[in-house]
Amino acid sequence: MTEFVRLKRIAQVRYGLGQPPKLAIDGIPIIRATNVSQGRITTQNMIRARLSDLPLHRAPLLDEGEILVVRSGALTGDSARIPAKWSGSAPGYDLRVTPDNSIDSRYLAYCLLSRPVIDQMKLASSRAAQPHLNAEELGDTKIPVQRLEDQRRIADYLDAELTKLDDLANKKRRLVRLLNERIDSRILQHVGESEIVRSDGGSPTLPIRRVLMKVTRSAVAGSGVITAYRDGQVTERGARRSEGYTMSASTEPLGQHVHVGDVVVHGLDGFAGAIGTSEAYGNCSPVYHVCTPRNGGDSWFIGRLLRLLALQGYLGNFATSTRERAVDFRNWDLFGRIPIPVVANTEQREIGEWITQLRPLRTAIERSEALTAERRHALITAAVTGEVDIAAASGRNVTEGVTV
């Protein structure tokens, strides 16, 4: 039988760090909101601090089985259980939940990811101008609680079934990763054979302005916002998530139009990978360089080449100034003087075809991952609320219908 109990009756709810400590490259990991993703701990943008600089009297290091809940921002309410791998890390600036002996920590972590609990947290966090959840509000959240032995059985079932979903998603991501590695390896081979690497006898280079022509088109009313993301995708912002690009650029006037196939370079964030070839029509900010290939070059190849040169640190060597963490390339004359390898158009087109062939596969995988996420939420919700008979469901194939 399921009973709904307030979280504060079965767990202690506390805050993490009040203020960020002095950071260190080789210190204790600090798990923040950016490291919490739908029940998982990720290493994206993880920061560290020395143990001596952490206020352990106020925020002790995390133990396995504790749960972090994001307390503010777009990800408010998202949560993840601390596995053994991250035990001994420091809590970030969010809420930490320490279950008592009456509840299985894995089961509680799944409850916090279920639709009824997420809806309660969203309602509580929406009372402020910006999404925000405090310890009292989280503590008042009602959790579906079952007998301890049933909790463990449900957690075991979800552990096994969600692993199947995760394994399927990982196989698809690995396929795309291998195909991208093949493309990058082929391009970097040309870089390695050029004068950039081999000063004596390397293949020739040309300044970027001899390979690309900067264009300026008037903005078209009603068009979407084109954004260069740091993973190399350039597309209409409404087609993607809200992170992965520099917010400062989004507030600037949308002063130029972009066509499909244009090479787009972010003048400040390009060094971090915000370079690529546009997949959509729309308008973009003046902080971008919008370019078309000269002499029959392939825009998909050139966009990928420039991004790789940026990520390798090569383009940054030619910068004369920086703003915060950004290498400043808003000056086209400066950027256009940078030498890049000369690659035959036939080779450019072949590699460009590889790149374009990846696009529909990537789109299919993104749809599949969205379906997997929905299936994941539905499965968790049904299990913790008692809507599904765990014994009967154990033989069911949860990955059915979640294919590319």
Side-chain angles (χ1 to χ4, degrees):
M1 180 178 178
T2 303
E3 177 187 5
F4 282 84
V5 177
R6 296 191 188 279
L7 180 60
K8 61 187 177 185
R9 288 179 53 192
I10 53 176
Q12 184 180 15
V13 181
R14 294 173 287 172
Y15 293 100
L17 298 172
Q19 294 180 342
K22 181 180 178 181
L23 301 185
I25 296 176
D26 56 351
I28 299 293
I30 299 176
I31 302 178
R32 303 176 297 159
T34 53
N35 308 119
V36 174
S37 179
Q38 299 180 38
R40 306 177 186 89
I41 302 296
T42 71
T43 58
Q44 180 182 7
N45 298 320
M46 183 170 283
I47 61 175
R48 295 173 179 268
R50 291 189 177 89
L51 189 62
S52 58
D53 291 326
L54 293 171
L56 299 180
H57 62 287
R58 188 174 71 247
L61 298 181
L62 293 161
D63 290 325
E64 179 182 1
E66 290 192 281
I67 302 164
L68 290 180
V69 180
V70 179
R71 62 183 291 199
S72 62
L75 302 177
T76 299
D78 199 1
S79 61
R81 179 180 178 273
I82 302 300
K85 176 181 178 180
W86 297 109
S87 178
S89 300
Y93 322 121
D94 298 293
L95 297 164
R96 67 189 294 176
V97 177
T98 308
D100 64 24
N101 294 329
S102 70
I103 192 159
D104 184 275
S105 67
R106 295 175 301 148
Y107 174 82
L108 179 56
Y110 284 128
C111 287
L112 291 172
L113 293 170
S114 68
R115 182 54 54 196
V117 177
I118 289 175
D119 287 345
Q120 292 178 67
M121 290 190 286
K122 282 187 175 180
L123 178 62
S125 66
S126 65
R127 293 168 184 157
Q130 297 293 329
H132 183 83
L133 190 66
N134 62 39
E136 182 178 356
E137 291 166 337
L138 179 59
D140 282 335
T141 301
K142 293 183 178 180
I143 305 296
V145 176
Q146 304 188 35
R147 294 183 307 169
L148 189 57
E149 61 188 68
D150 292 333
Q151 295 174 25
R152 291 169 178 154
R153 185 164 58 249
I154 290 169
D156 289 342
Y157 165 75
L158 288 174
D159 284 349
E161 298 304 317
L162 296 182
T163 295
K164 296 177 186 178
L165 291 175
D166 291 341
D167 287 346
L168 181 61
N170 289 334
K171 288 178 182 177
K172 297 170 185 175
R173 295 189 198 104
R174 183 173 183 271
L175 173 61
V176 172
R177 185 173 66 252
L178 291 174
L179 292 172
N180 275 315
E181 288 175 358
R182 176 195 183 201
I183 292 169
D184 292 346
S185 176
R186 182 85 167 258
I187 294 174
L188 290 174
Q189 180 180 344
H190 288 287
V191 175
E193 294 172 349
S194 73
E195 294 172 341
I196 291 175
V197 176
R198 299 169 58 183
S199 57
D200 53 341
S203 57
T205 60
L206 281 175
I208 290 175
R209 65 172 179 268
R210 296 274 302 278
V211 178
L212 290 174
M213 178 176 65
K214 181 176 170 66
V215 297
T216 304
R217 309 185 189 97
S218 299
V220 176
S223 296
V225 178
I226 296 295
T227 300
Y229 289 83
R230 288 188 287 273
D231 63 6
Q233 186 179 20
V234 180
T235 191
E236 201 273 320
R237 192 178 300 169
R240 271 200 50 164
R241 61 188 188 278
S242 60
E243 69 267 15
Y245 65 94
T246 299
M247 287 298 296
S248 60
S250 68
T251 61
E252 298 181 16
L254 301 178
Q256 54 183 332
H257 194 60
V258 179
H259 290 177
V260 172
D262 286 346
V263 177
V264 179
V265 180
H266 195 294
L268 288 171
D269 218 18
F271 86 103
I275 301 176
T277 305
S278 183
E279 301 174 5
Y281 290 92
N283 300 326
C284 72
S285 145
V287 77
Y288 289 100
H289 300 305
V290 180
C291 310
T292 57
R294 295 182 184 271
N295 306 316
D298 186 273
S299 63
W300 298 98
F301 169 84
I302 298 171
R304 188 66 161 258
L305 168 64
L306 291 178
R307 181 171 186 270
L308 287 173
L309 290 174
L311 294 177
Q312 295 290 322
Y314 172 73
L315 298 184
N317 293 331
F318 296 87
T320 58
S321 62
T322 60
R323 188 189 72 176
E324 296 177 352
R325 62 180 182 83
V327 176
D328 194 341
F329 276 125
R330 288 173 291 181
N331 185 314
W332 171 253
D333 289 336
L334 170 65
F335 186 73
R337 289 199 296 267
I338 299 174
I340 60 174
V342 174
V343 179
N345 286 352
T346 53
E347 172 75 352
Q348 290 188 36
R349 284 192 289 271
E350 180 178 350
I351 297 175
E353 287 178 5
W354 292 356
I355 295 170
T356 55
Q357 288 167 4
L358 263 179
R359 289 174 56 199
L361 176 60
R362 187 188 67 213
T363 300
I365 288 176
E366 287 172 353
R367 291 199 195 102
S368 175
E369 289 187 340
L371 178 60
T372 299
E374 292 176 8
R375 182 70 59 87
R376 185 183 181 92
H377 275 296
L379 190 62
I380 291 172
T381 298
V384 301
T385 57
E387 296 174 7
V388 62
D389 184 342
I390 299 302
S394 295
R396 191 179 304 158
N397 179 15
V398 296
T399 63
E400 182 179 351
V402 190
T403 56
V404 178

